[in-house]
Amino acid sequence: MKRFPQLCSLAALALLVVSCGGNSTLDDTEAAVVLTVEIEEYNPDIDVCQQGFDVTVSKMNVQSNSKAPGVELGTNNDVNITRWVITPNRTDGGSTPSPEWTIDQGVFVAGGGTAELENWRVYPAENFLVPPLSFLYPANGGVDPETGNTNIRQALWLVMYGRTVSGKAVATEPVPIAFNFFCTDG
């Protein structure tokens, strides 16, 4: 009988812990829509010595689909994308990637629709001046010290974050965009 109150207390504590978890507004999949990104056209070769402007993607589409097949989406499921996060990852054997970049820029995607984007920035030119891309400049040796190569290959992983008109958080799955960075001095 002495253990009964202890077991009840333990059961009540377990119930409290379970009831408090799993329903966060920070959950990026709470919306009734799924956003997908399709990269249609871009130039994967970037000459850091010649390109004095941000890296862009020529054509990409952001599509909104219902999580439940066959369900038509209303205007409450329209999405306002407000933040893009780009996380570089080395694909050439090097271990030091370029810095992550976050940009606040807006894109509207109607529920069940597609936003067609042209020439959207995905990486800032000022990051050409910091390691590892800065090693490609002739004044810095022109060679990546980790790989010994005169180019650096990276995938820029793009994730877009936003909210539906009804206030539900939504994010795209990470999309890799492969780039080959090099320098032709001349």
Side-chain angles (χ1 to χ4, degrees), residues 3-170:
R3 297 197 71 187
F4 184 71
Q6 291 172 336
L7 287 175
C8 286
S9 296
L10 185 59
L13 180 61
L15 183 61
L16 179 65
V17 168
V18 170
S19 68
C20 289
N23 196 11
S24 169
T25 57
L26 298 176
D27 180 4
D28 293 327
T29 61
E30 67 184 14
V33 298
V34 174
L35 295 179
T36 56
V37 177
E38 177 190 11
I39 306 296
E40 280 191 26
E41 181 182 312
Y42 76 105
N43 179 10
D45 294 315
I46 305 296
D47 186 339
V48 298
C49 291
Q50 303 297 321
Q51 182 157 334
F53 52 90
D54 294 342
V55 176
T56 61
V57 170
S58 304
K59 285 186 180 181
M60 79 173 101
N61 296 322
V62 182
Q63 187 169 6
S64 168
N65 293 302
S66 173
K67 283 184 180 177
V71 173
E72 202 164 310
L73 298 171
T75 57
N76 277 343
N77 291 305
D78 293 349
V79 176
N80 289 305
I81 296 171
T82 56
R83 176 164 284 181
W84 297 27
V85 177
I86 293 85
T87 307
N89 183 5
R90 294 286 294 264
T91 59
D92 61 2
S95 61
T96 305
S98 292
E100 182 176 276
W101 187 56
T102 300
I103 182 168
D104 294 329
Q105 55 188 9
V107 174
F108 176 80
V109 185
T114 301
E116 297 175 0
L117 309 178
E118 293 185 3
N119 297 316
W120 281 75
R121 299 184 313 160
V122 292
Y123 211 62
E126 61 260 19
N127 282 350
F128 299 163
L129 303 175
V130 297
L133 298 180
S134 63
F135 293 123
L136 300 177
Y137 288 95
N140 297 332
V143 175
D144 174 29
E146 291 184 7
T147 64
N149 295 330
T150 57
N151 69 314
I152 293 176
R153 291 187 322 256
Q154 296 188 100
L156 302 182
W157 289 83
L158 168 65
V159 179
M160 298 177 185
Y161 296 92
R163 291 201 171 273
T164 62
V165 171
S166 65
K168 303 290 185 181
V170 65

